[in-house]
Amino acid sequence: MTAIADDVAQSDTPLRAVFKISLNGQTVSITTVGQAYRFITNLSSIEWIEFRALHADAVRTLKRAADNAMLSVQATDALRTLFIRAKLL
């Protein structure tokens, strides 16, 4: 079964790390699959264009983790890689 976007965005599956990102002078904490999915999909695709492959991988792994919490480690790793390359961490 594959999660649809609304299901993924509402997922409360915990990530294996807490990401604290400073955005517009405010710190945003990302702790769940749903929060991460909303964060990386609500920004426009232009903002992620330089990191297109990493972004696509993170979205794909978050969708899988929403269906299967055992995959939250892979989702966390994909997010960490994306955020580091985008200099958000």
Side-chain angles (χ1 to χ4, degrees), residues 13-14 16 34 62-63 74 80:
T13 300
R16 296 296 181 222
L62 287 168
K63 286 179 180 178
Q74 290 88 339
R80 183 178 290 116

Side-chain angles (χ1 to χ4, degrees), residues 15 17-19 21 36 39-40 48 50-62 72-89:
L15 295 169
V18 175
F19 296 102
I21 297 172
F39 180 80
I40 68 173
W48 292 114
E50 183 178 351
F51 312 104
R52 183 174 52 240
L54 293 173
H55 181 265
D57 185 48
V59 169
R60 188 172 38 256
T61 58
L62 287 168
S72 64
V73 173
Q74 290 88 339
T76 302
D77 290 344
L79 282 170
R80 183 178 290 116
T81 301
L82 174 64
F83 291 159
I84 288 172
R85 289 289 304 273
K87 296 185 172 104
L88 294 173
L89 291 182

Side-chain angles (χ1 to χ4, degrees), residues 21-28:
I21 297 172
S22 181
L23 188 63
N24 298 329
Q26 295 185 355
T27 300
V28 176

